Amino acid sequence: MLIRTLILVLTLSPSLLAQISPEWKEPFPPHRIIGNVYYVGSKGLASYLITTPQGHILINSNLESSVLQIKESIDKLGFKFSDVKILLISHAHWDHDAGSTRIKQLTGAKYMVMEGDVPVVESGGKADFQYGNVPSNLYPPAKVDRVLHDGDEVKLGDTVLVAHLTPGHTKGCTTWTLKAQENGKSYDVVIVGSPNVNPGYKLLNNTAYPQIAQDYERMFRVLKSLPCDVFLGAHGAYYGMEEKFAQLKQGGANPFIDPDGYRKFVTDKDQEFRAELKKQESGK
Ligand SMILES: [Zn+2]
């Protein structure tokens, strides 16, 4: 039986297996990034709390098992989990949205999701073009309270977030921008949805997502057009979260202000996408 299970696991293609990294569940110290923007995620999965006098916005609910961790991070920062009024996501993959139902139940937050990701979120992952048939990537379906479109604003208190449709990785993949104030200056914050082409993604002749390659092109155009001082993303690894957090403790300039890092990341990911597209076009 064990051998048979092993053979089954080994013969499944990697894209069909839920790739759970141990770092996704490893706690990480919550910290202030800039202004009213805080990190409340794990070591491997980013989650952001944006605080306002009228309650808070949470970006990314992460895994079902992350919800308690996120709550503890919010508590540690001295805020109240029950003050989360709005829940947003980077994109509709289980590692960023599986905890949403639980967070809605616990806080009563309104769940706002980009149009292309709504069927995925509301089917608990079953409508996903790549992972819909992978049981380990499914999660409790969550009802969306407001459907977002490209350029829509999400406002709470004195904070305005803008939803930028940056599709490809998922159909409704969203990059969030906002302005944060620190020491009398205003900074452009960009929270990248995901520019990655996952293993197994078909960029050509993809019947479940015919315009996938054009969507990736659009996403890179959008990312290149956004003004960015503070570079963040769906995983801390995008922007060197751990290294920057270590620098934070040394004092000095805010390490999260990193416009060059943002431009380099976008350029590198664009090149990765183009290399993968070429590879698929050549049939290798
Ligand atoms: Zn993803």
Side-chain angles (χ1 to χ4, degrees), residues 13-137:
S13 94
S15 65
L16 288 176
L17 292 170
Q19 290 142 350
I20 294 253
S21 148
E23 296 198 336
W24 288 3
K25 294 190 172 180
E26 197 178 321
F28 196 83
H31 52 275
R32 196 167 73 88
I33 297 164
I34 193 162
N36 59 338
V37 183
Y38 296 83
Y39 188 90
V40 293
S42 65
K43 195 170 177 184
L45 294 177
S47 184
Y48 301 97
L49 186 74
I50 294 138
T51 62
T52 90
Q54 273 70 48
H56 313 314
I57 299 170
L58 182 68
I59 303 180
N60 292 331
S61 59
N62 300 345
L63 305 168
E64 287 181 76
S65 63
S66 309
V67 174
L68 190 61
Q69 237 174 38
I70 291 172
K71 184 191 175 300
E72 283 170 359
S73 293
I74 294 174
D75 289 347
K76 266 189 202 159
L77 290 169
F79 298 107
K80 277 193 191 153
F81 186 58
S82 57
D83 284 340
V84 173
K85 304 288 180 211
I86 296 174
L87 175 61
L88 309 172
I89 53 170
S90 291
H91 61 265
H93 277 161
W94 69 102
D95 50 335
H96 310 291
D97 73 351
S100 293
T101 298
R102 190 82 187 113
I103 288 180
K104 283 191 71 180
Q105 283 168 353
L106 292 170
T107 64
K110 296 272 175 271
Y111 196 19
M112 305 182 185
V113 176
M114 190 67 83
E115 190 177 18
D117 275 354
V118 169
V120 181
V121 162
E122 293 199 327
S123 66
K126 284 185 186 155
D128 185 86
F129 72 91
Q130 183 77 15
Y131 302 111
N133 296 321
V134 185
S136 52
N137 293 3

Side-chain angles (χ1 to χ4, degrees), residues 232-247:
L232 305 171
H235 295 273
Y238 291 5
Y239 65 94
M241 185 270 285
E242 285 179 67
E243 296 76 11
K244 286 175 176 168
F245 176 70
Q247 285 175 43

